[in-house]
Amino acid sequence: MSFKLNNRFKSISGFVLAIGLFFAVPSFASQDTVVVDTTKATEAVAVDAAATGANVVDSATTAKTEVAASADASTTKVDAAKEEKKIDPQVYKNFIYYVLLFLVICTVVAVIGKVISIYELTNKMNRRHNPLASNTFQASLLFIFLFVFLGGVYYSYSHHGGMAWRDAVTEHGAKIDTMFIITTVITTFVLVITHILLLTFTFIYRMKKNGKAYYLPHNNTIEKIWTIVPAVVLTVLVLFGFFTWRSITNVPEDLQKSALQIEVLGEQFAWSVRYPGADGVIGKRNYKMTTPTNPYGIDFNDKNSWDDIQGSDIVIPVNKSVRFHIVSKDIIHSFYIPDFRVQINAVPGMTNYFQFTPTVTTEEMRERMNDYKYDYVMLCNKICGSGHYNMQKKVVVVTEAEYKEWLATQNKYFTEDLQKEFAAKDAKTPQLKDSVNVTASLN
Ligand SMILES: [Cu+2]
């Protein structure tokens, strides 16, 4: 017994040692402290530099002072960048702190282990040792845990459920909500029943003094029940999901064409929105044509792109079918509007589509929620890098008239600079003379 106890103690301290070492890794500490220290230093020196700059050039104009100050500040920034390479002394202090903390934890665990082993040894010597005592204790703890767990489930559903739930504001959203509710009801029922059985049985059938175990190596009836029932339930859920998804994504071709087309381009870490101009057609895009002046990579050889409009936000008319063309410039992002029950990946090299009809305007939603600052929002739902949190756009649902009014105020992608650039390029290639003339007429 003492040998086993000793072993258990060793494995516990080994586990604690591993955790302690993980948290004591100096790289964690070094990142924190160095970054914080250099920013502070940069700020302080930058302020100093601005002050000395002003004193030295007393008689000079304010403009000169500003130049001097900014020059000083930029040199101190370079110094700060150099400092970053050195290891801050705080790192060593942190490391020693973690090592000491770890040793303290080890000592506490060792003391507790020894106290328990002494207690058990004394019980054995006094012949009061009951090897089943801890069994009943453990089983009772599990039984108590059952009530804590069920209470937690109830609290979570009643408290957080209401916070997570808001009626969908699109036509297809209602279908997704029905599916979500059915899945939640079935899985919650299974969760509660299995936990009641699992934790009650561990209490009722715990090891007792004269208890005998019934050896049941195999039972075909039980095997059949626990294979067929979940298989049927899962098949129903999967098929239900499959048909719902098909009904949302398989839009007839004529409805695809009659919808308002909008393109959304995701990149690290921003979204760009492109509306078709008066022609209702979004021009082609070719990633090879991406330049500093044409960051979107629009192919201006396609005349459909000449009137394409840049949307500052996503603004869409209510009760009108909208077809989103979702593309990515670099890596996978995800186009997600929670209130609309819309989510689809933006994948580089291919276009994904999501067509839907919004049914509630932003104004109506604000009144419904009694929150006059509320806005629908489109978020990137794929963790795509350090600026992921910042990848969002406001979505505004308005009346058709308001939509047209807004669209008229937005800028075109084919700016005057781009038109000149395009015309100059075309002048070099005479076979494209035609388009030059049209470009000139656009000006
Ligand atoms: Cu993203």
Side-chain angles (χ1 to χ4, degrees), residues 16-17 20 96-110:
V16 175
L17 173 73
I96 293 166
Y97 167 76
Y98 282 123
V99 170
L100 284 177
L101 188 70
F102 166 70
L103 289 176
V104 168
I105 292 170
C106 282
T107 317
V108 170
V109 172

Side-chain angles (χ1 to χ4, degrees), residues 333 380 382 384 388 391:
H333 302 276
C380 176
K382 192 73 64 189
C384 56
H388 163 70
M391 256 187 102

Side-chain angles (χ1 to χ4, degrees), residues 117-136:
S117 65
I118 291 167
Y119 174 73
E120 288 200 355
L121 277 174
T122 337
N123 267 345
K124 266 185 198 170
M125 282 161 66
N126 296 335
R127 305 213 166 156
R128 274 188 298 165
H129 181 66
N130 176 10
L132 297 177
S134 74
N135 236 351
T136 308

Side-chain angles (χ1 to χ4, degrees), residues 26 60 69 75 88 111 126 132 146 169 187 217 240 247 255 287 304 320 327 367 397-398 418-421 430:
T75 45
D88 195 279
V111 170
N126 296 335
L132 297 177
L146 171 66
V169 292
T187 48
F240 189 32
S247 74
L255 289 180
Y287 72 94
N304 289 327
K320 195 164 187 303
V327 287
E367 265 165 44
V397 182
V398 291
L418 274 170
Q419 287 173 32
K420 278 177 202 159
E421 211 175 277

